[in-house]
């Protein structure tokens, strides 16, 4: 029906915009990267036999034989820290980046922000998990942080309404 | 004024779209569910008398009598893990789901994604907090994860702009 | 080209809306406030010499002389709890607030919600980090929580599509 296509057209507006398409692409990539950390954690919990919940160790038997797998493992904790760092940094990128993409920035400037952020967070993950010597992790974190601050500056200077 | 109503009309466009209304409904539901975890944590901290901050135990008296309530409790830690798992999974659903809703998917396909995700996360919470034997928690986590990946695939195939 | 300006015009719609500008402003402020917690954590980790990763202590020498800095510090842990509390509360505000801003609320009502939330979370941070005696932190948390619930109620009553 024409009502339906009218609705479809409306919903398609944002995604037809090149800046918004670029935002959607890089936002999806970094959110997927963040989600990947769950799989890495699960993999290390299973291979290292290091679990947080008693019900997760039930398949290893009962009593003390299972209880010994309720423990922390240095590598599992490292991945969990990397995952939390993603939440602390990728969530602000997603939020501020969305507002930024709706502020009508130049396509080339927007792409520069999105690409540098995505690259920096992928580097940050490798630096955290391999691990690479510092300042690899610190620098890649700082670059992503600076990109988000730069987008926030644009948002506040364009939209400020207190 | 007519300028004002023009603005209102613009802002109302997205929310008049059925897919976006469905997204808004399920996104609000799962975010509220996530927020509920704060109340559950507070309830268990108070009833179990297990706090993380010295100022929270001041009403129990001073010195050692209050200090003994600065402790971890297995049930409080379990709820905190469930809350963190919500952050790790509901935040990507919110972000990727928003981009997905703006990609103009079929209403029925979108509803299927949103309903399965919300159901899976509610099941996940019960499986974590009761707790139910595995693989209840693992499966409900995996279903929600798969729904988000499916939406991300749609976003990247519709919007890809690297 | 005219196609390009058409796209720019579309992308500018939301940000021309006063409610959405107010949302963008306060959302950016609270996300930046949340990001500030990373810098505070880094500052306290460095001044207290309390690190989580062995590669972060390499500049203090090798072996036991560096190992002793791999430790938890009460103040660092406090900041990390404040940061996690921000994630648990500012993320739902960002998500539900976005949906709320798209529901066409009155500008004055929307501003009231956004201003109270931002004020409450800034107070919460001071209450957590100074720390102020309870119920300062509890009350400022509850006010921000109530604002988000109020916006979620508006979203669900306006958009509900199950």
């Amino acid at each position: 029906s024409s009502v339906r296509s009218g609705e479809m057209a409306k919903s398609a507006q944002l995604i037809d915009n090149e800046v918004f398409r670029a935002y959607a692409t890089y936002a999806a990539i970094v959110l997927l990267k963040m989600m990947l950390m769950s799989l890495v954690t699960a993999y290390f919990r299973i291979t290292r036999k290091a679990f947080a919940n008693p019900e997760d160790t039930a398949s290893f038997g009962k009593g003390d034989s299972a209880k010994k797998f309720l423990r922390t493992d240095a590598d599992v904790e490292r991945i969990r820290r990397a995952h939390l760092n993603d939440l602390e940094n990728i969530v602000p990128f997603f939020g501020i980046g969305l507002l930024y993409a709706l502020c009508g920035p130049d396509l080339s400037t927007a792409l520069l922000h999105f690409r540098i952020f995505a690259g920096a967070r992928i580097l940050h993950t490798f630096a955290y998990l391999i691990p690479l010597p510092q300042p690899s992790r610190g620098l890649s974190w700082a670059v992503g942080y600076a990109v988000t601050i730069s987008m926030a500056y644009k948002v506040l200077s364009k939209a400020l309404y207190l």
Side-chain angles (χ1 to χ4, degrees), chain A:
Chain A
S1 74
S2 68
V3 173
R4 182 67 189 286
S5 11
E7 279 162 9
M8 298 290 285
K10 275 179 212 161
S11 78
Q13 284 186 343
L14 275 172
I15 215 67
D16 289 344
N17 174 280
E18 284 179 322
V19 168
F20 198 81
R21 281 178 58 196
Y23 168 71
T25 301
Y26 286 96
I29 287 171
V30 292
L31 288 173
L32 286 171
K33 193 224 76 60
M34 185 170 86
M35 289 177 70
L36 189 60
M37 303 308 277
S38 297
L39 293 184
V40 179
T41 305
Y43 174 80
F44 272 78
R45 279 203 184 283
I46 291 166
T47 54
R48 299 295 166 89
K49 292 196 174 62
F51 299 92
N53 299 297
E55 68 269 27
D56 302 353
T57 64
S59 62
F60 299 115
K62 296 207 171 183
D64 289 344
S65 62
K67 225 172 193 172
K68 69 177 175 211
F69 302 123
L70 282 180
R71 58 186 186 88
T72 56
D73 173 87
D75 289 326
V76 171
E77 295 308 304
R78 175 177 284 276
I79 297 158
R80 293 183 65 223
R81 287 195 299 274
H83 199 167
L84 187 58
N85 194 281
D86 271 355
L87 274 170
E88 292 168 358
N89 290 278
I90 289 175
V91 168
F93 169 81
F94 177 83
I96 290 172
L98 175 67
L99 304 172
Y100 171 78
L102 296 172
C103 276
D106 285 339
L107 178 59
S108 58
T109 314
L111 276 170
L112 195 67
H113 280 82
F114 302 156
R115 284 170 182 161
I116 292 175
F117 182 87
R121 293 308 302 182
I122 290 167
L123 267 176
H124 181 269
T125 305
F126 281 107
Y128 219 142
L129 298 192
I130 291 178
L132 299 176
Q134 285 283 30
S136 319
R137 196 182 88 237
L139 279 182
S140 55
W141 170 83
V143 168
Y145 197 87
V147 167
T148 309
I149 297 287
S150 166
M151 296 192 303
Y153 176 79
K154 167 82 175 173
V155 169
L156 289 176
S157 55
K158 184 84 195 297
L160 196 68
Y161 195 105
L162 285 165

